[in-house]
Amino acid sequence: MRLTLRIWRQKDATSPGSFVTYVKDNVVPDMSFLEMLDALNRELVERGEEPVAFESDCREGICGSCSLVINGIPHGPGRGKASCQLYMRHFRDGDTITVEPFRAKPFPVLRDLIVDRSAFDRIMQAGGFISVNTGGAPDANTIPVPKQNQELAMDAAACIGCGACVAACKNASAMLFVAAKVSHLGLLPQGQPERYRRVRNMVAQMDKEGFGACSNTFECEAACPKQISVRFIARLNRDYLRALLFEP
């Protein structure tokens, strides 16, 4: 396959960026998207040019670091998969592919396709944890948990914090991310003592970081590589309202 790649190049956080066009030959359909970028970078290095900077770690759809906007879609075409799980057979010979970083004010571009997503870390530090002593694994297993709550908690826990929900939202809202983290812990017995303090603190930090409000367009759910449901946002809103009205 022969592809034309329009890739966002930006030297650093303070420099202006622009799209640079590369022609990539010999693309194998069974390559992953990141392997194709690896191959492009080898050619750039051989020509004495700067390789394209992008993040990757597990390359198994688990870590969420491979956050790219491909042809205007966070993580590219195909639902329920991260950029590292996207294969070149989704494209056709002769296609032009535009690759750019996540676009959101709380995710400033550091270089080329790499953005700073530490805002998510600070939201988690504000309350996305359990600080009470819950004992060991045998103790936890003695606490009955309704099956429905178990399954919902696991669905919420699938969030990998990649930020695709933010990149897909016209308001750069982080509501789906926060909702998943709040719901995961709030559905389990171990998360109850700090349930309402958690939601207040995480929402306050989300606002402080500059994320926008929910746009109600559900683009976050469509872009999420783990297909986290927007129903968790409703749960977040209920917990937040109760925290404001009834909980000290």
Side-chain angles (χ1 to χ4, degrees):
M1 296 170 63
R2 178 184 177 93
L3 300 172
T4 299
L5 303 171
R6 295 179 65 248
I7 300 179
W8 183 263
R9 303 301 309 263
Q10 184 170 333
K11 183 179 179 182
D12 53 44
T14 59
S15 301
S18 63
F19 285 102
V20 177
T21 300
Y22 303 96
V23 175
K24 181 73 188 78
D25 289 311
N26 303 318
V27 175
V28 178
D30 289 335
M31 278 180 166
S32 73
F33 199 87
L34 299 190
E35 288 172 335
M36 184 275 295
L37 290 179
D38 289 337
L40 172 68
N41 276 345
R42 281 196 294 273
E43 295 175 5
L44 293 178
V45 171
E46 289 171 358
R47 296 203 299 259
E49 300 178 30
E50 282 289 323
V52 178
F54 64 95
E55 279 192 277
S56 71
D57 189 3
C58 73
R59 299 200 175 199
E60 294 178 342
I62 299 171
C63 73
S65 63
C66 57
S67 299
L68 305 173
V69 176
I70 302 167
N71 285 345
I73 305 170
H75 290 303
R79 299 193 67 172
K81 62 182 69 174
S83 301
C84 63
Q85 299 171 300
L86 176 65
Y87 287 86
M88 299 314 297
R89 52 180 171 266
H90 288 278
F91 303 93
R92 294 180 297 183
D93 183 36
D95 274 358
T96 296
I97 303 174
T98 300
V99 190
E100 53 190 318
F102 281 2
R103 305 289 190 184
K105 187 176 179 181
F107 291 166
V109 177
L110 298 177
R111 179 169 181 167
D112 294 342
L113 304 175
I114 299 175
V115 302
D116 179 0
R117 290 176 295 162
S118 59
F120 271 12
D121 295 332
R122 291 188 288 274
I123 292 174
M124 290 298 289
Q125 290 164 1
F129 51 81
I130 294 173
S131 61
V132 296
N133 183 2
T134 58
D139 302 312
N141 289 336
T142 62
I143 303 173
V145 180
K147 186 174 188 299
Q148 182 183 11
N149 284 7
Q150 291 179 32
E151 292 180 346
L152 281 174
M154 288 301 295
D155 289 346
C159 173
I160 56 177
C162 65
C165 50
V166 173
C169 179
K170 62 183 180 182
N171 290 342
S173 172
M175 291 282 282
L176 190 63
F177 166 74
V178 175
K181 300 304 179 184
V182 164
S183 298
H184 166 211
L185 299 177
L187 282 161
L188 298 175
Q190 296 88 340
Q192 297 308 310
E194 297 164 299
R195 179 174 176 178
Y196 297 106
R197 184 166 70 242
R198 174 182 305 114
V199 69
R200 277 200 306 266
N201 291 345
M202 293 185 76
V203 169
Q205 187 65 36
M206 175 180 69
D207 293 341
K208 183 179 178 182
E209 297 291 345
F211 293 102
C214 177
S215 63
N216 293 308
T217 57
F218 301 169
E219 288 295 323
C220 53
E221 180 180 301
C224 177
K226 297 301 176 183
Q227 298 183 292
I228 305 292
S229 171
V230 293
R231 288 178 298 175
F232 287 114
I233 295 179
R235 179 177 292 277
L236 166 69
N237 287 333
R238 288 196 298 272
D239 273 12
Y240 186 64
L241 181 61
R242 178 165 181 172
L244 293 181
L245 294 178
F246 304 115
E247 301 296 331

